[in-house]
Amino acid sequence: MQFDPQKMVGWYQVKQLIFTGLKALLSYIFGNYSDRREVQAALSGTDRYDFSEGDELWFDYVADVGDGFSATYSVAKLLAQPQLTFSPEVTQRGRILVMGGDQVYPTPEMHEYENRLKGPYQSALSRCDDQSSPALFAIPGNHDWYDGLTNFLKVFCQERFIGAWQTHQKRSYWAIQLPHRYWIWGIDIQLNSDIDQPQKSYFSDIVDRYMQPGDSVILCTAEPSWVFKDRYRLEDSYERLRFFEQRFILDNQLELVATLSGDLHHYARYAKMEDGKETMQRITAGGGGAFLHPTHNLNNHLRKVEDEDLDLKAVYPDKETSRKLGFKNILFPYLNPSFSFFLGVYYLLLTWVLETDASRGVASLLEQLGETSGLWSAFDTFFHVLIRSPLAFILGIFLVASFTWFADENAGKSKYTWIIGFLHGGLHLVVCSILIWGFATINLRYLELEVISVTQVVLFAIEMMVIGSICGGILVGLYLLASNLVLGIHDNESFSALHEEGYKNFLRFHLTPTQLTLYSIGIKRVNKNWERKGKFAFSGQLPKAHLIEPPVVLRTTRVKKHEQKVSLSDS
């Protein structure tokens, strides 16, 4: 069956906002009552997936993938290449591909999985002989959970193929055994950073049956809770992650090498420092296809994560580039015409109600404003009529309350950011009043139109829907720009408005008997001009990939011992 390539999700499309909001609300309300993880545990045994044969192994990690076709397919096509060369380094396609959460946007409908994930990946690497098929493992993110994991389980937990990649897992969490006593664990934190009891029992059994003290673990989780605690004042997510790490890894004398996560759509590598050297890594790599998140608000040291000494070692894009990209919010009406048009229509509705109520007096609102020569007098007239009209007052309060609620209180430099949101909402009323005064002055005073004439009514409606949409959109864009750059809030809202498809990333690991090496791969520009040649065939130039930073050797106790032996032999 042919799939339909999709554009990026328009998060500021009014219809999309309503649909996704309702889906998210329902999932949060009923998520705990439809938790399919317990059903998974009852139907499948405790087993690990054994890839421990051989002296070396390449494996890949990508997250936040199933969005617009151009970005998703560009990343998938690079993952599918047998080799990627970064002179003098030559990397191999991973024998294992790990997807780190949010495999589809905006909601996990099956047709969205088909069009936004399965179709692009099948086109990137067609199915080959079973013996050479790379393995695919995935953990669910919040967008996968919006239907209670129903479609995630169908896509990833039935040993099906997605192109050449074959799924193996039976649950939404898993443990993979690698050569040289390395493991990859994927945990399912549901919607509330929660790890259920069957999942705890699963990993406890894995440790008891297959592992021994000193084994090294790479942990995959759906959200970078270390950043959430430091940036967004979300304590529970990090505390639950630390509990899991302590209870199932550290208390069993296993070594935590790195924690990998998506959810934030950029690359950010934090490293734990001991004696001036990097040890355990905390890495966010959510650049698989979704819109870009900023990096300029990330702290260079995670001060609020008191139990770990975590320093920022690399980001992509760099902070200066991230700041410059933020200025694209000035183009908000052009980038988000649906939401801007909604604001223009809302201004028009408010005007209509004000005009109807004011006309019960001596003169209508437009007639009063048309005779007003000063801006302050116009403000006074507008707000006096607004206060006397119950319905208009409710519409005005709703507008201000909505933008106050919209303000991001969980991030930034102050917990009183709701005040900024309140002022933002108030400015929309001010802009609306200026527009009404301006249009009334032009239409009634200079064009000398009758206030209730068809020509004036149609002209006013066009003026408000066009100019009002532009002015309302610009105001939202300026608010997002200023609040993000100055106050450090609205990371999600300000950059989802940009529809930025560039600066994608994924991770590639190379495991040998002596070390584990990380290659962080960036794609500055994706190909937006893929040409369809068949159901699952596209032609076009492969995007240029590069290393975000030099290869990083993940230092474990065994690596340290090897380094000491080499040092002694050299001396």
Side-chain angles (χ1 to χ4, degrees):
M1 184 178 66
Q2 181 170 297
F3 76 101
D4 296 321
Q6 301 292 302
K7 295 180 179 179
M8 288 186 73
V9 174
W11 293 106
Y12 280 90
Q13 291 180 1
V14 177
K15 180 180 177 181
Q16 185 64 66
L17 282 171
I18 295 172
F19 179 75
T20 305
L22 289 174
K23 197 80 172 181
L25 178 63
L26 290 173
S27 66
Y28 275 100
I29 292 174
F30 299 109
N32 290 330
Y33 300 100
S34 59
D35 194 336
R36 286 180 170 80
R37 293 176 298 181
E38 295 185 5
V39 177
Q40 299 172 50
L43 298 178
S44 59
T46 301
D47 199 7
R48 92 295 196 203
Y49 301 92
D50 191 355
F51 291 82
S52 60
E53 293 184 0
D55 273 343
E56 68 171 347
L57 181 83
W58 291 87
F59 62 95
D60 299 329
Y61 176 92
V62 68
D64 301 277
V65 292
D67 200 339
F69 176 79
S70 296
T72 301
Y73 182 68
S74 293
V75 173
K77 195 66 177 175
L78 287 166
L79 284 165
Q81 298 305 301
Q83 292 183 339
L84 291 177
T85 301
F86 310 100
S87 183
E89 304 286 343
V90 179
T91 68
Q92 308 291 328
R93 180 175 65 213
R95 185 182 170 194
I96 301 169
L97 173 61
V98 173
M99 291 186 173
D102 287 344
Q103 278 69 241
V104 68
Y105 292 92
T107 54
E109 313 297 330
M110 185 53 75
H111 68 89
E112 298 286 18
Y113 275 114
E114 294 286 347
N115 292 330
R116 296 183 182 273
L117 173 71
K118 297 175 68 176
Y121 272 77
Q122 183 171 345
S123 302
L125 185 63
S126 59
R127 183 171 174 179
C128 51
D129 183 82
D130 291 358
Q131 298 302 317
S132 60
S133 294
L136 172 60
F137 292 86
I139 57 173
N142 58 303
H143 288 272
D144 300 292
W145 257 103
Y146 285 164
D147 68 343
L149 284 191
T150 298
N151 287 322
F152 178 92
L153 296 177
K154 293 177 183 177
V155 173
F156 295 104
C157 300
Q158 296 183 1
E159 298 185 345
R160 296 182 178 184
F161 282 85
I162 299 179
W165 288 278
Q166 184 179 12
T167 62
H168 291 262
Q169 67 197 77
K170 297 295 196 305
R171 310 177 186 219
S172 56
Y173 48 90
W174 34 261
I176 306 171
Q177 185 176 3
L178 307 180
H180 314 302
R181 298 174 59 194
Y182 280 83
W183 292 73
I184 310 174
W185 286 6
I187 59 176
D188 178 3
I189 59 174
Q190 206 228 27
L191 291 166
N192 301 306
S193 305
D194 174 58
I195 298 174
D196 57 310
Q197 185 56 47
Q199 187 172 180
K200 295 174 186 176
S201 299
Y202 171 86
F203 285 104
S204 181
D205 288 346
I206 289 291
V207 172
D208 293 341
R209 294 172 59 183
Y210 302 110
M211 303 182 72
Q212 56 182 304
D215 284 1
S216 300
V217 177
I218 301 167
L219 183 64
C220 301
T221 182
E223 58 185 30
S225 57
W226 51 97
V227 177
F228 286 3
K229 180 176 181 180
D230 190 73
R231 280 275 300 131
Y232 303 113
R233 305 188 183 103
L234 300 176
E235 304 281 343
D236 291 347
S237 175
Y238 179 74
E239 297 306 323
R240 288 167 178 167
L241 175 67
R242 289 297 289 156
F243 165 80
F244 180 88
E245 292 174 342
Q246 186 67 45
R247 170 65 181 82
F248 296 99
I249 299 176
L250 302 180
D251 285 354
N252 288 301
Q253 300 179 48
L254 308 176
E255 186 168 15
L256 180 61
V257 178
T259 306
L260 311 180
S261 177
D263 203 44
L264 296 180
H265 311 155
H266 56 224
Y267 174 78
R269 182 173 68 87
Y270 284 91
K272 187 176 182 179
M273 305 302 295
E274 291 182 4
D275 299 325
K277 294 185 178 180
E278 297 180 16
T279 55
M280 190 268 294
Q281 307 281 335
R282 301 279 197 192
I283 302 171
T284 307
F291 70 86
L292 179 69
H293 271 122
T295 58
H296 57 264
N297 286 323
L298 293 173
N299 293 321
N300 292 327
H301 181 79
L302 300 187
R303 296 180 298 274
K304 296 179 182 178
V305 185
E306 300 91 354
D307 57 339
E308 296 184 286
D309 188 16
L310 293 173
D311 289 340
L312 185 62
K313 297 300 179 182
V315 295
Y316 184 71
D318 63 78
K319 292 190 175 186
E320 185 60 29
T321 299
S322 176
R323 289 190 187 92
K324 290 179 179 178
L325 288 170
F327 280 91
K328 289 173 64 179
N329 273 293
I330 296 172
L331 303 176
F332 188 95
Y334 171 74
L335 296 171
N336 303 277
S338 173
F339 190 82
S340 300
F341 182 72
F342 170 78
L343 289 174
V345 172
Y346 198 93
Y347 294 167
L348 180 62
L349 174 63
L350 180 59
T351 307
W352 177 43
V353 175
L354 288 169
E355 179 74 359
T356 302
D357 287 355
S359 62
R360 296 170 185 167
V362 177
S364 70
L365 175 63
L366 292 183
E367 289 173 321
Q368 294 179 54
L369 292 177
E371 298 172 357
T372 302
S373 57
L375 185 58
W376 290 110
S377 297
F379 286 156
D380 182 68
T381 300
F382 174 84
F383 285 103
H384 269 81
V385 175
L386 179 68
I387 293 172
R388 292 198 302 268
S389 169
L391 181 56
F393 184 75
I394 291 173
L395 289 173
I397 290 294
F398 180 79
L399 183 66
V400 174
S402 296
F403 282 110
T404 303
W405 173 82
F406 177 71
D408 182 4
E409 292 188 50
N410 289 324
K413 300 176 181 178
S414 172
K415 62 182 179 180
Y416 300 108
T417 51
W418 64 269
I419 297 175
I420 306 300
F422 178 81
L423 294 175
H424 176 210
L427 282 174
H428 278 279
L429 291 180
V430 171
V431 167
C432 183
S433 67
I434 294 174
L435 291 173
I436 297 173
W437 172 62
F439 300 152
T441 301
I442 293 171
N443 297 355
L444 304 186
R445 185 184 303 179
Y446 295 108
L447 298 181
E448 298 182 347
L449 298 175
E450 292 291 333
V451 67
I452 59 173
S453 66
V454 174
T455 302
Q456 196 285 136
V457 171
V458 172
L459 178 60
F460 184 91
I462 293 173
E463 289 169 333
M464 186 60 83
M465 285 191 292
V466 175
I467 300 176
S469 298
I470 294 172
C471 292
I474 289 175
L475 179 57
V476 173
L478 290 174
Y479 164 77
L480 292 173
L481 173 62
S483 61
N484 187 253
L485 292 183
V486 178
L487 297 177
I489 62 176
H490 288 305
D491 284 347
N492 197 59
E493 294 80 8
S494 63
F495 270 64
S496 63
L498 306 183
H499 304 275
E500 176 57 58
E501 292 187 282
Y503 301 97
K504 295 294 167 272
N505 68 78
F506 62 91
L507 308 180
R508 177 156 287 174
F509 293 87
H510 185 206
L511 177 60
T512 67
T514 58
Q515 64 185 32
L516 175 62
T517 306
L518 163 67
Y519 298 87
S520 305
I521 299 172
I523 307 105
K524 185 176 181 180
R525 291 287 178 264
V526 303
N527 185 348
K528 299 182 181 181
N529 300 303
W530 296 106
E531 184 179 353
R532 190 164 208 162
K533 297 295 185 180
K535 287 184 178 181
F536 297 99
F538 292 82
S539 65
Q541 185 175 1
L542 189 69
K544 184 178 180 180
H546 62 93
L547 291 180
I548 295 172
E549 58 176 329
V552 177
V553 176
L554 304 187
R555 301 182 78 248
T556 65
T557 301
R558 281 172 285 160
V559 170
K560 295 174 190 175
K561 290 180 179 178
H562 176 73
E563 292 172 347
Q564 291 171 356
K565 288 181 181 179
V566 172
S567 177
L568 289 173
S569 63
D570 290 343
S571 61

